[in-house]
Amino acid sequence: MEPLPQISEAEYEVMRIVWQHAPVSTNEIVEKLETTTSWNPKTIQTLIKRLVTKHALTYEKRGRVFVYTPLVGENEYVSQESNSFLKKYYNGNISAMLSAYLDNDELSEADIRDLRRLLDQRSK
């Protein structure tokens, strides 16, 4: 399997919009990101172009409008990034990662309940 493209945090924000609303036009992406960021439209358009260059997005021209769809699945990308993070910071040891989160009180009781439920489902 070919590795997924490296996406910056800013590009990831664009991808989140596309994953959620695809197919989505440039103007729609800009409108949505202007409500959650301080980026100007040119910055957003540059991010979109980078994602097309990286083969994370594809587009088609509909009249005078460019419409974008993802070439990279959200679950696939998040899974790759999670695995990369786990390997980079915890040598692939998920127990060490969870222990670090627990030691720093970064998991709420609800998080712990959800983890228990997931583990219970997995062990059946």
Side-chain angles (χ1 to χ4, degrees), residues 4-114:
L4 300 177
Q6 291 295 309
I7 296 174
S8 71
E9 287 184 42
E11 292 165 346
Y12 181 75
E13 291 304 314
V14 174
M15 289 300 295
R16 287 179 44 174
I17 299 298
V18 177
W19 283 322
Q20 197 170 30
H21 301 283
V24 60
S25 71
T26 307
N27 289 341
E28 290 170 317
I29 296 170
V30 168
E31 285 172 16
K32 291 178 187 322
L33 285 171
E34 283 182 322
T35 64
T36 60
T37 70
S38 59
W39 302 335
N40 69 47
K42 288 286 184 198
T43 300
I44 297 167
Q45 290 171 3
T46 297
L47 292 169
I48 293 169
K49 287 177 189 170
R50 284 186 196 162
L51 288 164
V52 169
T53 300
K54 291 180 177 185
H55 303 287
L57 292 179
T58 189
Y59 67 91
E60 66 178 87
K61 192 169 182 185
R62 294 183 186 167
R64 296 177 61 167
V65 177
F66 288 92
V67 177
Y68 297 88
T69 55
L71 290 172
V72 172
E74 182 176 15
N75 291 340
E76 183 182 17
Y77 183 76
V78 169
S79 177
Q80 172 185 280
E81 290 302 299
S82 296
N83 288 334
S84 175
F85 175 84
L86 186 61
K87 287 175 186 167
K88 181 176 181 178
Y89 295 103
Y90 297 98
N91 276 346
N93 186 335
I94 195 162
S95 296
M97 182 186 78
L98 287 172
S99 179
Y101 277 84
L102 288 168
D103 290 347
N104 293 306
D105 292 326
E106 293 184 35
L107 291 178
S108 68
E109 287 300 319
D111 292 332
I112 293 169
R113 271 194 312 276
D114 289 343

